[in-house]
Amino acid sequence: MKNSGIIFFFSKKSNTIYIADEVVRILRITRGKLIADKYLRRVLKLLKEPQINLICRKHNINWKQSLDLKIKEIINAGISLSNIFTEDIYKENTTVTEKSYL
């Protein structure tokens, strides 16, 4: 990674790799993620469990697991936050006006 230019600083003393914020943003864009996983986890923990179950059902994730495992599976599946809020937390055949009231 150092030879490819992704790693700019490496501390041998503390064995730490430092990567520039710009590179992190570019890597997120290539993965199709708008925000970091830790922020997505925080948002998913704010949702109610039936909404998490809907997300799991729509993406073929086992919805009978514990809440923490379901959230981890959603993050690992690479589901975007915008997709979750626009489609996944609503039941099928929900109209746009009904979504605006929820």
Side-chain angles (χ1 to χ4, degrees):
M1 288 176 62
K2 187 176 182 181
N3 293 337
S4 64
I6 294 174
I7 298 175
F8 293 109
F9 302 107
F10 178 73
S11 173
K12 291 181 182 178
K13 184 177 179 182
S14 63
N15 203 17
T16 306
I17 298 172
Y18 298 99
I19 301 174
D21 292 337
E22 295 84 5
V23 174
V24 173
R25 284 188 204 110
I26 291 170
L27 290 174
R28 276 197 204 120
I29 290 169
T30 58
R31 289 177 58 201
K33 296 195 173 211
L34 298 175
I35 61 170
D37 290 342
K38 66 180 182 179
Y39 299 121
L40 180 59
R41 180 177 289 113
R42 288 179 190 171
V43 170
L44 289 173
K45 285 189 176 192
L46 294 175
L47 295 176
K48 296 177 183 174
E49 191 161 3
Q51 292 172 327
I52 299 288
N53 291 340
L54 276 173
I55 297 168
C56 290
R57 285 186 190 127
K58 289 185 179 183
H59 294 280
N60 297 325
I61 298 171
N62 186 4
W63 58 275
K64 295 182 180 180
Q65 300 176 8
S66 69
L67 184 63
D68 291 332
L69 286 175
K70 287 187 272 192
I71 290 174
K72 187 181 281 188
E73 289 289 324
I74 290 169
I75 292 171
N76 289 340
I79 303 167
S80 68
L81 183 64
S82 60
N83 190 26
I84 289 172
F85 281 134
T86 56
E87 300 172 8
D88 293 341
I89 60 172
Y90 304 107
K91 294 180 181 179
E92 291 182 24
N93 301 325
T94 306
T95 62
V96 176
T97 55
E98 291 173 345
K99 288 179 183 180
S100 64
Y101 291 122
L102 299 176

